[in-house]
Amino acid sequence: PFVIPEYLRGQLEEFEALRDISNNNSYQRLLDNNLDQTYESLYEYFSQILEEHGPMEINNKLLVGEYEHFPEEARKIVEDEGGLKSFLLKSLRFSMVDNLISLRE
């Protein structure tokens, strides 16, 4: 059987540790990119609603009703961020005045 010489084992351990870090970082970047794309899709969707209908209350049936039809994965992302209001207000696209959510000028 193949055996790594004793004098190379330290280098092998370093290499494996670096490889694991690199693989984990690549995977995390992939997850982050997918999450960013999901956010952008959600922001774009709500932007279109507000462009068409103008400012509306955050609990407006149109907003809430559309949100309830989102895939479970998307709703979970929104809920993890604090709900529809917190999710939208984390984007620079939206602003809130007197309980009305609107697109920023």
Side-chain angles (χ1 to χ4, degrees):
F2 176 77
V3 176
I4 296 176
E6 186 69 37
Y7 71 94
L8 292 177
R9 289 186 185 165
Q11 292 177 3
L12 176 65
E13 289 172 5
E14 285 180 39
F15 170 77
E16 288 177 340
L18 289 172
R19 186 191 68 203
D20 288 344
I21 289 170
S22 175
N23 287 342
N24 286 339
N25 286 342
S26 296
Y27 181 70
Q28 188 60 48
R29 278 193 303 271
L30 178 65
L31 288 178
D32 290 345
N33 286 341
N34 286 338
L35 190 59
D36 289 344
Q37 290 172 355
T38 301
Y39 285 132
E40 277 307 309
S41 295
L42 293 172
Y43 292 148
E44 183 62 30
Y45 186 77
F46 284 111
S47 291
Q48 290 173 4
I49 291 173
L50 293 172
E51 281 177 10
E52 186 174 327
H53 298 281
M56 50 180 67
E57 291 186 6
I58 195 69
N59 60 357
N60 182 286
K61 289 181 183 180
L62 179 62
L63 290 177
V64 174
E66 292 298 320
Y67 169 70
E68 289 174 350
H69 289 85
F70 283 0
E72 184 177 334
E73 177 183 313
R75 285 195 320 263
K76 182 172 179 1
I77 289 171
V78 173
E79 293 305 317
D80 288 349
E81 291 295 319
L84 188 57
K85 179 180 175 182
S86 291
F87 176 69
L88 290 177
L89 293 179
K90 289 184 179 185
S91 169
L92 296 177
R93 292 184 189 190
F94 307 97
S95 63
M96 187 153 198
V97 177
D98 295 330
N99 207 29
L100 292 177
I101 191 99
S102 64
L103 291 172
R104 290 188 188 262
E105 295 293 325

